[in-house]
Amino acid sequence: MGRAVGTTNLVLSVANCLANGCGLRVAVIEANTHNDYLSLRRRTEYGNASQNSFEAGGIYIYRKLSSCETAEVLAMDYDAVILDLQYEDADWNIWLAQCDRKIAIVGLQPWNRRSAERFLQQEHTKLQQITCVSLSVFPQFQKWIRKQYEIDVTEIPMERDVFCIQSENLHWYQNLIQ
Amino acid sequence: MIRRIAQTDHTQVWLCEHKLLKQERVVKIVEKSQFGARIIQEAHWMKQFRHDAIPQIYDVLEDNNSICIIEEYIAGKSLSEYLGIKQQLSVQEVIEYGIQLCEVLDYLHHFQEQGVLHLDLKPENIFINEKNQLKLLDFDHALPMGAESEGYGSVGYAAPEQYLSGRVNVTTDIYAVGMLLLYMTNQRCIQSFAEGKAELSMMQSEQLYPIIKKCIHHHSFQRYSSVAGLKQDLEQMNMKLERHHKNKKPLLKTTNYHIYVHGSRRGVGTTHVCLCLASYLANCQYRAVYVGHSQENDLFETAMQGVLQKNGTYRLHNIDILLNYQQRINCDISKYQFQIHDCGVSAVTKVQESFAQQTKCMQIYVTDLGYRQQQDRHIREQLPENVMIAMNHIDGIRFYQELKQKTEKNSWVRIPCIYNWAKCNEIFDETATELLRNLFGADFVQNCSRHKHTGFARIWSYFMEDV
């Protein structure tokens, strides 16, 4: 929900956990307009000629895909495909409905509160199917959400390097995606 | 002539005094008809020997009926008499006498160019003098190296090949040394052991257990190949014991030990051997972790049936498994005392590299005698000498047949058939103990037998003294 809440960070951490921690074939699709993965492509050693698909740290990354191309990737033999969606972007609702696991990164910081409240209000009927997480949890806001919507927002463990996550956080990621 | 020391049907042994020098001598008078040639041979050799532990021959006289040998008098007692009085020797005393025995045998085995085998080592032929020095007597049945055995030996001390009149070598004497060490440690055990009524594990001194076991192995090629190796192990044991006595303060050793296991091909059992070793060490109450390096993801599904721990390892049955995370997950396994690295299928160069990286490590190369034997033999010959070769998928009979024909200098060990690595298996425990001893030395495994836990040997005190 919004920018700089840690979406790409969490996507790559989870992808790393699945790919290297669980030995799965994992793909990440940048289904938003942030262009975060372009910067990643430039920094990694593993990029191939294509700017729209490359491998980084054992994870296959796709960006700027059309709907058809996205559907093709989903039909490939990946064990897990992670869609990096932006709330209220085009087709986000359609893709969200198709996902087996729905995770929402809610910014609980004071400067993100408005967008978080809007999301919770608009999607309150689907909240039981969505796991809400946040980079930093402000206890008062957390309590309010629990009271208002009867859901828990858990804190994302801090990772300095998403391509080398801490072993003590492995359990948290595995619980998140189960 | 002072007095008669001993007498048999054909031999008399007298204690005499040299009139001029006033020194005591032993005079052995033997009837020529019975053992003339042998006695002369014995005298001929002993006259050439120059070693403190071998009595000196001063002269050999001969007439028509008998041969008279004048030799140095050893004031002391035979080992059997000595133990009869002392009843029990300490481990360090046994080691001390063992080392002295090795020194004199080393001299004999390298005597001139050919070497001489004693072939009749027994307590009655070993004397301990007043200065606690060991003397070796009775070279009646000694033979030059490479000779065929006459089928003579003393029950309980003779090696199996002596009973079969086969070719004897230094390992035959080493067998007898092992039995003598056993005798000195627990003389009551020796007779029962010779009769097959007792097991080696009944002996009282557990520290010497692995050394003795290696000396008295049924197959000569499984024993120490020279007395120098045996002596080295005894000396190391002695130093360890001395250190233990001096330093009573607990000393925690935080050294990590690395065991690298390489395979000759997929499906040879590399991962299985690693898991068995990890299970064995875990049962010995050590902190051991299986570390996967193989590119294959075979173990992921199995490991994830276990419990994920904070350090990133999976706890499955009794072992910790660290999967190959491709260095993408930061795990700290420094607190494990043993790290067993599953290197998967490895080229020879990789085996050499991984050995060079660590100072406290051992290498195991798992192979079998499958269809690519020649190719595999060629690879084995290129392995560094200190890599242990573990033969899997092979029965004992074939293993020993192949062992006799092996060309490489590496030691071999057979991996027994184990279906479930998580379940205790005493046969594998023995193999693992032998493996660790061959690779880390007797000093490592001497603690192995100090603490026994459900049939497994513990090597805890090698790392933590006085715990």
Side-chain angles (χ1 to χ4, degrees), chain B residues 8-77:
Chain B
T8 61
D9 291 342
H10 308 286
T11 310
Q12 291 184 52
V13 182
W14 288 84
L15 175 64
C16 303
E17 186 187 70
H18 194 285
K19 281 183 180 175
L20 292 171
L21 298 174
K22 303 293 180 191
Q23 283 180 351
E24 286 170 331
R25 298 276 189 268
V26 163
V27 176
K28 198 189 278 188
I29 303 168
V30 184
E31 279 183 21
K32 223 172 176 175
S33 57
Q34 283 291 321
F35 306 111
R38 180 172 290 158
I39 295 297
I40 290 174
Q41 178 188 283
E42 178 194 359
H44 172 70
W45 267 341
M46 287 184 71
K47 209 172 172 182
Q48 297 176 70
F49 293 150
R50 290 288 180 269
H51 195 281
D52 291 339
I54 300 173
Q56 199 177 345
I57 297 280
Y58 295 109
D59 209 350
V60 179
L61 305 170
E62 191 180 353
D63 61 20
N64 291 336
N65 301 321
S66 56
I67 299 165
C68 177
I69 302 170
I70 304 166
E71 60 185 69
E72 180 189 347
Y73 171 64
I74 311 291
K77 291 181 175 42

Side-chain angles (χ1 to χ4, degrees), chain A residues 16-17 19-24 46 56-58 161-172 174, chain B residues 297 300-301 304 306-314 322-333:
Chain A
N16 186 10
C17 171
N20 298 303
C22 301
L24 303 177
Y46 307 102
D161 181 359
V162 294
F163 289 110
C164 189
I165 61 175
Q166 300 301 310
S167 60
E168 45 267 28
N169 298 332
L170 207 56
H171 199 261
W172 187 89
Q174 289 192 353
Chain B
N297 288 340
F300 267 86
E301 202 179 319
M304 289 172 75
V307 175
L308 178 62
Q309 301 183 111
K310 273 192 178 174
N311 61 2
T313 61
Y314 284 89
L322 179 67
L323 297 167
N324 184 4
Y325 293 144
Q326 310 287 345
Q327 298 177 344
R328 296 290 171 197
I329 294 170
N330 193 13
C331 302
D332 180 16
I333 53 170

Side-chain angles (χ1 to χ4, degrees), chain B residues 76-93:
Chain B
K77 291 181 175 42
S78 70
L79 186 59
S80 49
E81 289 169 343
Y82 185 68
L83 271 175
I85 296 166
K86 252 205 135 170
Q87 290 296 315
Q88 185 72 38
L89 293 178
S90 68
V91 175
Q92 274 167 309
E93 282 175 308

